[in-house]
Amino acid sequence: MAGELDFLFYPRSVAVIGASHIPGKIGNAIMRSITANFDGKVYAVNIKGGEIDVNGKKFKVYKSIKDIPDEVDVAVIAVPAKFVPDVIDECGEKGVKGAVVISAGFKEAGRADLEEELVKRARKWGIRVVGPNCLGVTNLENGFDCNFNPPERQARPKFGPIAFMSQSGAFGAAILDWAARHDVGMSKFISLGNMADLDESDFMLYLKDDPKTKVITAYIEGVKDGRKFFNAAKETTKVKPVIILKAGRTEAGAKAAASHTGSLAGSYKIYEAAFEQSGVLSAKSMRQLFNYAKALAMQKPAQGDRVAIVTNGGGAGVMMSDGLLEAGLKLAELSDETREKFKKAIEEGKLPEHMSYKNPIDVIGDAPSSRYELAIRYALEDPNVDVLAVIALFQSPALDEGIVDVMEKVQEYGKPIVFVAPGGEFPERMARRIEEKGVPVFETVEDGVDAVYALVKYGLYLKDI
């Protein structure tokens, strides 16, 4: 599968069929998106012909894709559904490799026959199809973006290691917006639509071999082929983490999913069992999906489930302990040797007498970064500790900016670290600086628990296979 679908994400030339000069029309919005940051050749196609002006550039409008003098790798199709099968034939005659069908009005609208015809024609020509009824694909690396939501309404995230695919276009758009706002980097976004041809399993296998993707995430309502999905997931999770937010977990939700993309939602219990057996991490919310993804994109999986906590706020340490235990993880029992190190440091005046060095290790509210560093090092040197959670309440004036360098240095131990920094503007600024050093930072204790859980769960799965 390696590179097999590269033409969809790295096309040299693209034709927009249904291109329009009228602002607000889908064909106009797609032209705006594609021509914003993409260096490849872009051709406008509309039966009316003429010329259109998009993003300050003039484009000749071809009446048919067959009139374009050059080769075309991908066609983005936004014409009424009834014309799509004939357009596919024209694409086939032109030698197009992939078609992204934005048009709706197929299976989801009770026209399964039209969708079958579309697939039949595409197969005849060997064209791979994304959609129909989708937002298209976005490659954040090269700017190839056929998403018709305008950038002033829906931001695009920066380029990064997380790929996301979605069966819902609207939810996919919200995720892209959310990722941009939270500074989460993405490699590729795929709006799956009705999955008449290419489905979540095909893209999972493609992303498995994609060097730009470290973590694969997805929103799904149901899978098309259970066996194919299970096998693809099993193969992929050996190489990189897969995190899925499955909608339709309740009976009512399953019915809604069936009417939305025409997908068979199936019993959630069956999905849960399939996820568990194939190593897929199951997220229950959008936020949890990205907590898992961010942790796994930035840290290596844990070797075990024993967690140590270092905090300057006792309450936050207790909350973290509760959350970890409720998630089925263990609080590390610090070794006698580690306890001796703390005792000695207190006797030598390097650490204050009134701190607690049970786990959670409470360095207390007046802790500067040097005190954090000592406690963190002792915790990471302990063979009983698999993962470290650091909680920093930056509201304390004692906690200096040296904590940024501390977090960079302590990664030399090679154990996964999660950082929690609750609060407003200042903690957020510090969080961005710490993340630049490679440690993921989370806004709440609950988010931090999610992150630790993902590192442990995926790490234990890898050990078992």
Side-chain angles (χ1 to χ4, degrees), residues 66-129:
K66 293 195 287 182
D67 300 338
I68 296 170
D70 304 314
E71 282 184 17
V72 176
D73 289 334
V74 171
V76 180
I77 301 171
V79 298
K82 62 181 177 183
F83 301 122
V84 173
D86 289 344
V87 167
I88 290 285
D89 274 339
E90 292 190 357
C91 290
E93 286 173 48
K94 182 69 189 163
V96 167
K97 295 176 195 153
V100 180
V101 183
I102 308 292
S103 319
F106 293 87
K107 187 174 70 179
E108 85 291 348
R111 290 297 310 270
D113 56 328
L114 202 54
E115 195 162 308
E116 281 160 24
E117 188 59 30
L118 153 66
V119 174
K120 196 170 102 185
R121 308 258 188 121
R123 295 250 159 92
K124 174 180 143 192
W125 298 104
I127 295 172
R128 300 313 308 259
V129 177

Side-chain angles (χ1 to χ4, degrees), residues 8 99-102 128-132 134 136-137 190-192 198 203:
L8 277 171
V100 180
V101 183
I102 308 292
R128 300 313 308 259
V129 177
V130 183
C134 73
V137 298
I190 304 145
S191 170
L192 295 162
L198 290 165
F203 285 114

Side-chain angles (χ1 to χ4, degrees), residues 309-313 316-318 320 372 389-393 418-422 445:
I309 302 166
V310 173
T311 178
N312 65 346
V318 173
M320 187 98 195
Y372 259 100
V390 178
I391 305 170
L393 302 168
V418 163
F419 199 100
V420 177
V445 166

Side-chain angles (χ1 to χ4, degrees), residues 166-195:
S166 177
Q167 271 180 19
S168 158
F171 187 78
I175 284 272
L176 288 173
D177 221 5
W178 187 92
R181 205 178 88 229
H182 287 79
D183 214 29
V184 174
M186 280 196 178
S187 55
K188 295 174 176 70
F189 164 72
I190 304 145
S191 170
L192 295 162
N194 293 6
M195 305 187 293

Side-chain angles (χ1 to χ4, degrees), residues 253-271:
K255 279 180 186 160
S259 65
H260 176 209
T261 48
S263 65
L264 273 165
S267 156
Y268 183 59
K269 289 229 180 313
I270 294 170
Y271 278 93

Side-chain angles (χ1 to χ4, degrees), residues 338 341 374 376-385 413 415:
T338 301
K341 282 184 195 170
L374 211 52
I376 288 169
R377 285 188 181 279
Y378 290 168
L380 289 169
E381 284 161 8
D382 192 316
N384 295 344
V385 172
Y413 293 100
K415 290 182 183 179

